[in-house]
Amino acid sequence: MKIVIQPERHSEILMEVIPVFEGGKVLHVCNSCAARVQRFIKFGRFDASLGSTYKFTKEKDLGAIKEEVYVGLGKEEEITSERIRKAVSMAIKEVKKLNVEKATVRFIDLDDISTEEVVKAIAEGAVLGNYEFNNYKKIKEGRVFLNEIRIASVAQEKVEAAEKALQEAELLINSTIFARNLVNEPANVLIPEELAARAMAAGKESGFQVEIMDKNQIEALGMKAYLEVAKGSVNEPKLIVMRYFGDEENKEDVTALVGKGLTFDTGGYSLKPNDSMVNMKSDMGGAAAVIGAISAIAKAKLKANVVAVVAACENVISGGSYKPGDIIGSMSGKHIEIVNTDAEGRLTLADAVYYAAEKEKASRIIDVATLTGAALIALGTSTTAVVTNNQELYNKLQSAADSCGERVWQLPAFEEYKELNKSSVADIKNAGGRLAGTITAGLFIGEFVKDTPWMHLDVAGTAWSDVEKAYITKGGTGAAVRSLYYFVKNN
Ligand code: BES
Ligand code: MG
Ligand code: ZN
């Protein structure tokens, strides 16, 4: 999608999105427009509540039709950039129905939110809200796709700032869409090898180095826990390591982004019922997030050192799969009692975070994983759950997330919870029971980071959406890409 800043209010494009506050305030000195909105409101056609839309068509010259989609921004005093993102995405869904290639969205000039913020929110809302995954279905004849959005009516003195913000927005949009596409790709296509190939392609395109290790190399590293999960599948594991060194002067500062990369999770012998299994192609949502994030970071040439690690594999059943009751090793040397083969993600992550600390010399580690159904029970689908051993790290993530409209929430990591992971036959067990499931899963991973400042993001609720919600489209959402980017950028 092409996105451009347009200083003029009108142009040859006859499809316009016009944002309106509740009560009918439009943000431009345009009397006819304002009067029209007042009539829509008076006759009950449109109330400008957040995300509400009203379409208005007028015949221009002979043959030409001009269409306007009015979209509600809600109450003026409650406006935030996230609300702009949502409202614009709702407008774009109306625009989409009209089968046009180009549309303008009028800029929302505010005193309290910067031009940069508003431009990003409009661009993200529009493009992410317009996203569809169409790789495997026939497109209806005559359907055209929106391919250009102009942010119109940007005051001349704001154009430069707007254009700069747009560049960053485009990086983030593209990386988010990249992550969505990875998640939406079915597991028969996106096997570990294919995930590795796509990471490799992303590295070439965005400017980071990619190393792919096969089963023998993973064995040589001693990643026993990871291999136990992988061994049931004919599709071999791939350890994907991505390195971006943009801050050569501070070589010791290395942020590791470790993503759970289960290209499919059947649960193994602790088999999932079909309803719980059907969307498990999304169990590499954490991997998608870290590959997306490092792509944006590298493309933006941020002054930071980032290593992204994905221990990709499949959790499936065969005569060779690991079983409940098994006691397995790990790269750290710790032994793990398997009480549930469906708690597989933490096993792959235990080795992946240990690898990041030990081999990549990470000075801080953030893992991102679709780890527990319990995260959905605790926080629903809007908020990513976080467990950490370092409050400062969390606080920085919180502000990064706040700045881009993503939601995170910290869960406690009190030592009492660690009791639940204790095993009587091994150093630790891989599941701590039903209670506090997101916390115990996180703390399990934390046992393998050595003394590194670490934070765990459980995106089980946020990486996938069953429903369309404003700019969050159905399927993969690209959750955490933007937060990770801003976390690295600002710290
Ligand atoms: N991949 C699942 C978690 C999941 C559930 C992600 C729903 C997205 C949506 C994970 O591997 C898993 O199966 N976790 C178990 C852990 C349990 C056995 C301790 C779970 O949450 O039930
Ligand atoms: Mg599982
Ligand atoms: Zn899983």
Side-chain angles (χ1 to χ4, degrees):
M1 177 91 71
K2 189 168 150 196
I3 319 169
V4 256
I5 303 292
Q6 174 187 297
E8 298 76 27
R9 186 188 305 158
H10 300 291
S11 64
E12 78 285 2
I13 295 177
L14 296 177
M15 177 69 248
E16 282 188 62
V17 171
I18 301 169
V20 186
F21 280 120
E22 257 180 56
K25 180 170 171 188
V26 283
L27 291 135
H28 301 271
V29 205
C30 170
N31 295 332
S32 63
C33 211
R36 197 176 299 132
V37 170
Q38 287 305 334
R39 285 198 297 278
F40 298 157
I41 291 174
K42 184 174 164 201
F43 293 109
R45 301 294 194 279
F46 177 56
D47 64 6
S49 60
L50 180 63
S52 62
T53 56
Y54 184 65
K55 186 179 72 119
F56 183 72
T57 308
K58 42 186 170 175
E59 209 152 334
K60 255 215 139 185
D61 320 314
L62 272 187
I65 302 173
K66 177 159 190 237
E67 285 165 309
E68 295 173 330
V69 170
Y70 291 81
V71 62
L73 294 171
K75 293 196 170 63
E76 187 172 6
E77 63 276 17
E78 290 174 5
I79 193 71
T80 60
S81 49
E82 177 63 1
R83 287 184 153 218
I84 293 175
R85 223 175 260 113
K86 287 180 176 162
V88 170
S89 73
M90 299 310 285
I92 287 298
K93 287 175 210 295
E94 289 305 308
V95 169
K96 232 179 176 183
K97 293 182 195 157
L98 299 169
N99 222 31
V100 294
E101 288 188 332
K102 298 183 197 316
T104 62
V105 179
R106 271 195 215 163
F107 182 61
I108 303 159
D109 205 337
L110 300 170
D111 294 335
D112 296 339
I113 307 179
S114 69
T115 298
E116 286 88 342
E117 286 260 304
V118 173
V119 165
K120 283 184 194 173
I122 292 176
E124 289 168 1
V127 185
L128 295 176
N130 186 52
Y131 173 83
E132 286 172 37
F133 182 71
N134 286 330
N135 288 12
Y136 300 97
K137 59 185 188 205
K138 193 163 173 279
I139 303 299
K140 263 204 202 113
E141 218 170 304
R143 161 112 201 243
V144 303
F145 289 89
L146 197 59
N147 60 30
E148 183 176 329
I149 288 168
R150 294 199 201 160
I151 302 178
S153 204
V154 179
Q156 200 60 53
E157 69 274 14
K158 297 191 169 180
V159 165
E160 205 183 312
E163 277 173 349
K164 196 153 167 270
L166 191 55
Q167 280 181 13
E168 193 171 41
E170 285 187 301
L171 288 179
L172 289 168
I173 289 165
N174 291 339
S175 299
T176 302
I177 288 178
F178 174 79
R180 287 182 179 183
N181 285 338
L182 284 182
V183 170
N184 290 335
E185 203 63 72
N188 58 320
V189 175
L190 199 89
I191 58 176
E193 189 180 355
E194 177 64 17
L195 181 59
R198 296 204 186 187
M200 185 67 93
K204 289 220 172 79
E205 147 95 20
S206 301
F208 57 89
Q209 188 235 332
V210 183
E211 183 182 0
I212 296 164
M213 287 175 258
D214 63 13
K215 197 169 148 231
N216 291 331
Q217 292 165 291
I218 299 165
E219 264 165 19
L221 284 165
M223 302 177 84
K224 292 180 182 162
Y226 169 28
L227 286 167
E228 284 292 331
V229 176
K231 74 180 185 180
S233 177
V234 293
N235 298 315
E236 291 202 349
K238 299 287 173 199
L239 177 64
I240 310 165
V241 181
M242 294 148 273
R243 301 185 185 91
Y244 167 73
F245 277 79
D247 188 6
E248 294 285 345
E249 291 150 44
N250 298 297
K251 276 216 163 93
E252 316 73 50
D253 292 348
V254 178
T255 303
L257 303 177
V258 181
K260 173 174 173 181
L262 264 291
T263 58
F264 198 73
D265 180 15
T266 67
Y269 277 100
S270 312
L271 190 63
K272 287 182 187 295
N274 192 65
D275 284 355
S276 310
M277 199 192 296
V278 68
N279 291 328
M280 276 302 133
K281 67 175 183 180
S282 67
D283 214 15
M284 33 57 69
V290 305
I291 304 172
I294 197 173
S295 299
I297 290 163
K299 255 231 156 119
K301 297 195 162 63
L302 295 188
K303 192 166 183 293
N305 301 320
V306 178
V307 175
V309 178
V310 173
C313 67
E314 246 181 21
N315 186 22
V316 298
I317 291 179
S318 77
S321 302
Y322 79 138
K323 303 170 293 300
D326 287 357
I327 299 175
I328 67 171
S330 66
M331 189 178 182
S332 72
K334 286 194 169 91
H335 283 94
I336 305 164
E337 178 192 3
I338 303 304
V339 295
N340 192 320
T341 62
D342 200 8
E344 83 299 335
R346 66 196 76 181
L347 300 170
T348 64
L349 288 162
D351 278 350
V353 296
Y354 189 84
Y355 168 88
E358 181 71 17
K359 300 287 178 187
E360 302 293 333
K361 306 281 179 242
S363 50
R364 49 186 192 178
I365 299 175
I366 304 175
D367 80 76
V368 188
T370 48
L371 206 63
T372 62
L376 277 142
I377 305 299
L379 300 177
T381 56
S382 58
T383 306
T384 293
V386 185
V387 174
T388 184
N389 65 6
N390 185 297
Q391 195 57 40
E392 205 185 322
L393 221 49
Y394 176 75
N395 295 344
K396 289 172 173 171
L397 178 75
Q398 177 76 261
S399 33
D402 287 348
S403 75
C404 65
E406 291 197 305
R407 303 258 186 226
V408 297
W409 200 254
Q410 184 180 12
L411 299 181
F414 303 130
E415 61 186 10
E416 286 80 356
Y417 291 111
K418 294 189 182 169
E419 297 293 320
L420 300 170
N421 284 332
K422 285 206 168 137
S423 163
S424 56
V425 293
D427 297 312
I428 193 166
K429 60 182 180 185
N430 82 323
R434 272 169 45 81
L435 303 181
T438 303
I439 299 173
T440 55
L443 288 175
F444 178 95
I445 298 167
E447 291 298 323
F448 297 86
V449 298
K450 302 173 93 182
D451 290 328
T452 320
W454 152 84
M455 167 165 69
H456 158 70
L457 277 59
D458 193 332
V459 291
T462 49
W464 177 270
S465 182
D466 285 329
V467 291
E468 183 133 341
K469 289 180 294 193
Y471 67 94
I472 306 287
T473 45
K474 264 191 191 182
T477 62
V481 169
R482 289 180 295 136
S483 295
L484 291 172
Y485 170 88
Y486 286 113
F487 174 90
V488 169
K489 182 182 178 188
N490 300 334
N491 302 286

